[in-house]
Amino acid sequence: MSIDFCGIALAHPLVNGSGTFDAIAARRVFGQALDERFPFAAFVSKTITLRPRTGNPPPRLWEAQAGMINSIGLPNKGLERYMAEDLPELARLPAPLIVNVMGSSAQEIAQLLRACDARTEIAAIELNVSCPNVKTGLDIGADPQQLATVLGQVRPTSSKPLIVKLTPNCADVAACAVAAESAGADAVSLINTLRAYAPAPPHTPGAPPGPWLGGGTGGLSGPAIRPVALAQVAAVAARVAVPVVGMGGIQTARHARQFLDAGATLVAVGTESFRDPLAAGRIVREFSQASAC
Amino acid sequence: MSIDFCGIALAHPLVNGSGTFDAIAARRVFGQALDERFPFAAFVSKTITLRPRTGNPPPRLWEAQAGMINSIGLPNKGLERYMAEDLPELARLPAPLIVNVMGSSAQEIAQLLRACDARTEIAAIELNVSCPNVKTGLDIGADPQQLATVLGQVRPTSSKPLIVKLTPNCADVAACAVAAESAGADAVSLINTLRAYAPAPPHTPGAPPGPWLGGGTGGLSGPAIRPVALAQVAAVAARVAVPVVGMGGIQTARHARQFLDAGATLVAVGTESFRDPLAAGRIVREFSQASAC
Amino acid sequence: MPAPFERHRLTVTANEALGAYRVLKASDPGGPPTAGQFAMLAASERWGGGEDERPFLPRAFSYARWLAGRSEVPPTSDRRRSHRSPIGGEAHFLLEDVGPGTHRLCELQPGEGLWALGPLGVGFKAPSGGRAAVLVGGGVGIAPLAIWQDALDSATVLLGFRDAAHANGADLCHNAQVVTDDGSCGRRGLVTELLEEHLDEEPHSTVYACGPPPMLEAVRALCAVRGIPAQLALESGMACGFGACFGCVVPTRSGYARLCVDGPVLDAAELERVEHAGGHTYDSSSEPVLEGSP
Amino acid sequence: MPAPFERHRLTVTANEALGAYRVLKASDPGGPPTAGQFAMLAASERWGGGEDERPFLPRAFSYARWLAGRSEVPPTSDRRRSHRSPIGGEAHFLLEDVGPGTHRLCELQPGEGLWALGPLGVGFKAPSGGRAAVLVGGGVGIAPLAIWQDALDSATVLLGFRDAAHANGADLCHNAQVVTDDGSCGRRGLVTELLEEHLDEEPHSTVYACGPPPMLEAVRALCAVRGIPAQLALESGMACGFGACFGCVVPTRSGYARLCVDGPVLDAAELERVEHAGGHTYDSSSEPVLEGSP
Ligand SMILES: Cc1cc2nc3c(=O)[nH]c(=O)nc-3n(C[C@H](O)[C@H](O)[C@H](O)COP(=O)(O)OP(=O)(O)OC[C@H]3O[C@@H](n4cnc5c(N)ncnc54)[C@H](O)[C@@H]3O)c2cc1C
Ligand SMILES: Cc1cc2nc3c(=O)[nH]c(=O)nc-3n(C[C@H](O)[C@H](O)[C@H](O)COP(=O)(O)OP(=O)(O)OC[C@H]3O[C@@H](n4cnc5c(N)ncnc54)[C@H](O)[C@@H]3O)c2cc1C
Ligand SMILES: Cc1cc2nc3c(=O)[nH]c(=O)nc-3n(C[C@H](O)[C@H](O)[C@H](O)COP(=O)(O)O)c2cc1C
Ligand SMILES: Cc1cc2nc3c(=O)[nH]c(=O)nc-3n(C[C@H](O)[C@H](O)[C@H](O)COP(=O)(O)O)c2cc1C
Ligand code: FES
Ligand code: FES
């Protein structure tokens, strides 16, 4: 079931969702088995930003019904150290590397894309546009016009395939996808987490209720969001010609098949990897059994 | 725990979500017990439109993880027959009546509001702005400007308290709430169902996969959406002064308390009533036990 | 008689195999159902956590039998749970394990709790004009026919099953004539063939049928041709069972009907044809479908 | 030794009460853990469907003991499930039922399946410079100390519990000195009081501690004052246990550390102070919090 994705040959349609699998940490934990049994057709690294980020204060996790809420806050070592320290390690993986980047301005994004463009270890770039606009507070990816403008400015800075990871927190994700396509995106990926709130569990009566998460609000992921993800992927796939990377609550080959049937070219496993680091391997196995689909 | 809501005195903060409880059918099924043990502080009737609607073709239901997807399609007998046949029956309920209406144009909405204004049986009006705009296909409630314009035109047609039921399928629900408030809404309610897709279960291999629901896409409700509902309610309550009716996956008094803590004045029980018609009664009971909150 | 306005907690008294089916028995504090009525059932523990973390909603099941009189509650480790009532009786349900909900219910052991809302819906009506009752069932659809046979002085019972294992379900009724798809028990063939032969001899009959949609459609069609009155117990996906969700509609000559309150038993004359659950060829209106709207 | 790159299915061999706790034993095909390491556990059946339909994620538990050698698998109704392996051993976990995940694990019966990913994380390091090992535990935090005591030639063990019922947990270790908050067993008081007295006599010690954050903070503070090395086994909410989610961070002098890969055992010197799980007073950066972003 080998697949051509933006000119990259992939062994199968399963990749990881950015930020849900740290291949470098996994290599420390699982040793060479990580490389020998690597389950993803391509590896998508966690979002990096121009400057290092420590991320949001803990607690960062909350378990929801059929899912989880996270408020990690995009901790990362910043572009420079990522390129120097992580890229060589990630280049050793037996799968093409997709680097996920995020910037709060066209200038920042352009810098990130330029840096990626220079590195042959990188097969493609995924641009996370779920970044809150400093002025409006909305995700820059939530408004089609704004998204097209930003992409138009940054697209020329890299010749590598550019995947735009859309935000699901918008009125019309298909319009955003069309805007991204028209502005030169080679693919789109969705869905990112849904904005969500986790109240602190009631402690001593009278104690002021508030958010559980150090970051205030967080993002909902896991099976709970799969029906929303399928609706957004289907809506996007119906409107764009570029390949779609579908994700959101995928736990089984049957779920993955639902996204492919909805029009996705690739599917990504995220939260399910937390329940089993080799969940994606199981799904790929299930795929090759007709029964699964 | 009596409450003043837009000048209406309510015995407690629990009402029903529109379209999740049919008091007239329930009276047929449960007899006078319905009135004797009526669990809601106010009754919100299912959305009515100017003309009768048969609703979407079946199947209309799909069970999701920790929730359900529905594609009912707003079946209703239309304004005229609702006023003639249903209103007298609903007026007999031991709770104030809130009539939920939807129109696809300001003219239609104005007609609906005017008709409600004339009836003393009606305590308040809830306007469902999740109606797809015929031109854009987006919910008229998804764009703050458009929402403000429509509300500005219809607000004068009724002197009754007007609750605007916001759509959750938007980029910035708080901005929509602010727009509604500035255009004269006396309260806002949220969240409505999240746009969702249910794929048909795999039948004979080779059979074309497609949507399970007769309506194509549907709306996700139940516990799966509670974290999203809490985030939207908290965001809205932080920006508007008018009372907020919070709903989305409420199953217990603790869940209801989470919405009140997030800034809601009233909370509505929807899907949970399907699991137990007296779920709201249980929640009200749990409320009066300190333990619950 | 109206249903209690609250789901109530029954205590399982038995869970017996009947061929390929299970018969779940529970002490029921409520009043007796009329044949054809149903209850919305859910296990009181661990409802959820199954395939895809379902079930979430309760499931609809026909009363298959109802034994009046004080019901015995078996010893249970958890006294709190045991549920006696001076009146009431014992409700029997026939279960086929087809998914997470029925699977969970098929696991229930005596003493465990069962949430039930019911009796719900409109059941069978007695034959009029001295007509003879002919009960026609397919598969698990025999459930409402058993309790209906209990209520009738006399009835002819014609049942069809996949194979011998399922045909054992026929024991739920008395002296039923049985056919199977594979001939492994009784005659090989379709129950509608039995029905036609029977109606050739006994045209002055009223037909009561429950089973898979194709069988019901065949019954409807052949009764329509012969001008024989028929009452069909239909199925559709249900969320609430009491008219709240508008999810269970089936197309009738007068538009969509909520099967939970207007059915599940419908007069065959009201139906243009019996649809496969999940088929949606019919839309009585020219209005545009409202995607994504409740 | 790296952990197997896949969660594996253990078979429960025993589930025994130990005072207010349960000791869950399971045959483990994997290699032996080092003391202080943990596993991410989930029941192989019915994980989910509990309070608020949780648990969904696996839960982290310290290995409390590990018995090498071929493990016996008890007779189980479901042969498919039983899981033998030539090597391996038996892992013991000490459980306190505090929510849906621990509740479900506390129900597991011999023969039932247990998903486990592990051994994970960095464990205790042996004392250096001829220092004596002092193991200080509070409540369920005694788990990693038991397996550590097994590995050490000699150690002083000081344990604190709420009351007598919980103090029975002390049997997990050998000749431990016990205090309780209510004096219902052993001396009334805090385990840190025992520790101070002990360190007065034996200053040439290394302290190994696990327990509630306030206890760990007290241990950290008093060891810091005395310049005594201490290794603290911390807790934090975890989703993955292998460094994938960045959710389990705790503040250290060098910024946030992922407890699952950089811990759970941290050198006390790395910590400015031990936070309550759920407290978030500390933010090493001036960067704005990114609401709603993963
Ligand atoms: C009035 C009435 C009376 C009934 N009486 C009986 C009876 O006496 N005995 C009996 O055994 N059954 C009876 N049924 C049928 C019974 O209600 C269903 O078999 C049951 O609801 C199936 O639930 P499940 O979870 O086991 O399987 P599900 O998986 O919920 O349902 C199986 C079917 O539902 C569809 N489906 C699959 N996944 C989903 C999903 N996620 N959401 C929604 N639908 C899905 C598919 O078509 C599948 O074939 C009756 C139904 C009705 C309406
Ligand atoms: C490295 C490590 C080792 C551990 N070793 C042991 C051990 O040996 N024995 C042992 O008993 N425990 C141990 N724990 C603690 C154990 O992991 C937790 O007690 C367990 O995860 C609780 O899960 P639960 O579902 O039972 O309760 P939960 O309800 O998940 O957790 C209880 C606490 O979590 C918080 N909480 C409540 N609701 C939620 C929610 N929805 N999402 C997230 N948090 C919530 C609250 O603060 C509550 O007090 C260890 C933890 C770690 C990190
Ligand atoms: C803990 C966590 C961290 C994540 N970090 C990132 C990230 O850094 N960048 C990004 O684009 N998406 C991130 N995501 C979103 C996932 O890539 C994915 O879009 C989302 O989780 C939906 O898929 P799932 O339900 O399978 O997890 C993160 C998700 C989780 C749960
Ligand atoms: C079957 C069903 C029908 C609904 N019909 C309507 C409706 O007619 N009008 C409306 O404003 N909301 C309708 N809703 C939305 C609910 O009122 C509520 O906003 C939503 O279900 C979230 O609450 P819940 O999770 O508690 O169900 C409907 C929801 C469901 C599940
Ligand atoms: S099942 Fe809800 S209306 Fe019939
Ligand atoms: S638990 Fe996921 S990184 Fe530590």
Side-chain angles (χ1 to χ4, degrees), chain C residues 68-86:
Chain C
R70 173 189 257 292
S71 61
E72 259 333 297
V73 177
T76 151
S77 52
D78 183 349
R79 279 261 141 269
R80 230 184 346 82
R81 293 193 192 166
S82 92
H83 189 318
R84 285 171 189 288
S85 74

Side-chain angles (χ1 to χ4, degrees), chain B residues 37 58 60 63 65 70 275, chain C residues 52 56-57 59 246 280 294:
Chain B
R37 307 182 64 188
R60 292 177 169 185
E63 186 175 69
Q65 276 152 303
N70 82 84
R275 300 181 359 137
Chain C
D52 277 356
F56 170 68
L57 297 164
R59 303 295 198 246
F246 285 80
H280 31 85

